[in-house]
Amino acid sequence: MELSTKDIEKAFGINRKTLFFYEEEGLLHPQRKENGYRAYHDEDVERLKTILLLRRMDVSLDDVKKYLNKKITVQEILQEQSEKLHTKKEEYAKKEQEALYLKDREMPLLDYGELLDVNRAQGRRIALCQRKHKKEYIKALCNVLIFSILILSMIVIGYHSATVISALPLHLYLIPLFLLMIVYFLNAIHQESYLEFTDQGIFYYQSVRTKDDLWHFWAIMKGNEEEGVCFVPYENIKTIHIQTRREYVKYWHVGLPEEIYTYSISFEFAEGRKFVLRNPYTMEKDQGLFAFVLLSKVKNIDDPHGALVAMAKGQSLTAHMKMLQA
């Protein structure tokens, strides 16, 4: 049986450019008629079927050539291709994980390099200082309620029993306990100032007055966690100031105080507002990420000791400052 190029295109759903490419690569050898047209015979058709089957499995052209020239067996090809596909599967899974990591944490699309460790993801956004959420406030309210019920139960039981407590006025017990619960509640709802980094800019909350914390707490309980939180685009950040400070901390397992370095970060915004975060807490990996984001997104940074650059390289601030002092 003799087929033309047009017949092959129709039978296999392949265009003539691909056919001619396989011919140039030495994979197909159709005969030429006197008029110059190609003629494909049964041997060419079977050869093309094999080529297309191997190519559908992403077998390289070099391996296809080796197989057609009987330099490699089909088992060797399939084994090698299985290993390649397994490697690609792992690579695609890693890329998917990184894409989801950036999406879920709303991070800017930057080349983070080794700083981007998706296996150690913590929280939703890159954040300095821990942010309290609704479930934490609900837990605090439950603790207050349980504590109140227990205390009132103890007082009622005491007044109905022959103890010293029954000889004292009730308010001598209720007022101090009530004040104690108020102190606990205010401490539980106190929201530290925090800073979060997203693709478009920063979110921050400045905790100054108890009234603000109460208002923020009430908004969160109603489902609005962004109430009282300010947003500033990166282009509206006028200047950032980084100040380092040496401190001495004594740990229970260490005899002498240990020298450490902390930092404060101050923002000046284009509209005149300011925001200061002193001795911020962050996760180990987030520290390098937030520093990298700021260095990439903000032009004017006052960082006399190069603290941000060191953290963006994955170095600890304490190690960096000790090296400068050496």
Side-chain angles (χ1 to χ4, degrees), residues 33-300:
K33 296 182 179 180
E34 293 181 358
N35 57 9
Y37 288 108
R38 294 170 174 80
Y40 296 86
H41 296 87
D42 292 342
E43 182 181 350
D44 299 312
V45 172
E46 292 302 319
R47 194 176 179 91
L48 180 59
K49 287 181 180 178
T50 301
I51 294 170
L52 295 178
L53 176 61
L54 293 173
R55 292 297 290 161
R56 277 202 300 271
M57 293 187 292
D58 285 335
V59 177
S60 66
L61 287 176
D62 289 337
D63 285 343
V64 172
K65 287 180 185 179
K66 291 178 182 178
Y67 175 74
L68 294 176
N69 295 327
K70 302 185 184 304
K71 294 182 179 180
I72 189 174
T73 66
V74 66
Q75 291 298 322
E76 290 173 327
I77 281 184
L78 294 177
Q79 176 63 31
E80 182 179 350
Q81 195 60 20
S82 176
E83 293 174 357
K84 288 181 180 179
L85 292 175
H86 181 72
T87 301
K88 285 185 178 181
K89 180 181 178 181
E90 292 179 343
E91 291 176 354
Y92 290 144
K94 184 178 179 181
K95 290 178 181 178
E96 180 186 17
Q97 195 176 9
E98 289 183 356
L100 290 174
Y101 181 92
L102 293 173
K103 171 182 171 292
D104 291 342
R105 304 197 83 190
E106 304 178 30
M107 291 169 60
L109 187 61
L110 301 170
D111 184 10
Y112 298 96
E114 295 181 357
L115 289 172
L116 193 65
D117 187 353
V118 297
N119 296 319
R120 299 185 63 180
Q122 297 284 346
R124 189 160 187 258
R125 295 172 178 165
I126 306 175
L128 298 182
C129 291
Q130 292 178 318
R131 182 179 182 182
K132 294 179 181 177
H133 296 280
K134 187 174 182 178
K135 62 180 181 180
E136 297 177 69
Y137 288 132
I138 292 176
K139 183 179 178 180
L141 285 175
C142 290
N143 289 339
V144 170
L145 180 61
I146 293 172
F147 184 68
S148 303
I149 293 173
L150 288 175
I151 295 301
L152 289 175
S153 299
M154 291 173 61
I155 292 174
V156 170
I157 293 172
Y159 264 82
H160 285 81
S161 62
T163 60
V164 178
I165 193 173
S166 60
L168 298 175
L170 185 61
H171 67 272
L172 292 180
Y173 302 100
L174 291 182
I175 292 177
L177 292 173
F178 177 74
L179 293 175
L180 181 63
M181 285 187 289
I182 291 294
V183 171
Y184 169 79
F185 177 73
L186 292 177
N187 183 66
I189 70 167
H190 172 65
Q191 176 68 69
E192 292 182 350
S193 298
Y194 63 82
L195 185 65
E196 294 179 335
F197 300 83
T198 64
D199 180 33
Q200 301 299 322
I202 63 170
F203 287 90
Y204 72 91
Y205 176 79
Q206 183 80 67
S207 178
V208 179
R209 299 172 298 180
T210 302
K211 182 179 72 172
D212 297 329
D213 291 337
L214 282 169
W215 184 258
H216 189 55
F217 156 77
W218 181 245
I220 289 178
M221 292 302 296
K222 293 192 297 183
N224 184 14
E225 293 198 0
E226 301 305 325
E227 181 71 30
V229 178
C230 301
F231 173 76
V232 179
Y234 289 113
E235 56 268 23
N236 287 357
I237 300 176
K238 186 178 179 181
T239 310
I240 294 176
H241 302 276
I242 305 294
Q243 291 182 327
T244 58
R245 179 183 176 184
R246 180 168 56 185
E247 296 181 356
Y248 292 92
V249 179
K250 190 176 186 306
Y251 299 101
W252 66 270
H253 60 283
V254 179
L256 297 175
E258 182 178 345
E259 179 186 17
I260 66 169
Y261 282 84
T262 60
Y263 67 96
S264 298
I265 180 168
S266 305
F267 289 81
E268 293 184 15
F269 304 123
E271 60 272 23
R273 288 184 296 165
K274 294 183 179 182
F275 172 68
V276 180
L277 201 57
R278 294 179 175 84
N279 302 333
Y281 167 80
T282 186
M283 302 301 296
E284 181 182 352
K285 282 295 179 180
D286 277 2
Q287 183 169 276
L289 289 171
F290 102 82
F292 187 82
V293 170
L294 288 182
L295 290 169
S296 303
K297 291 290 189 177
V298 181
K299 295 181 179 179
N300 299 320

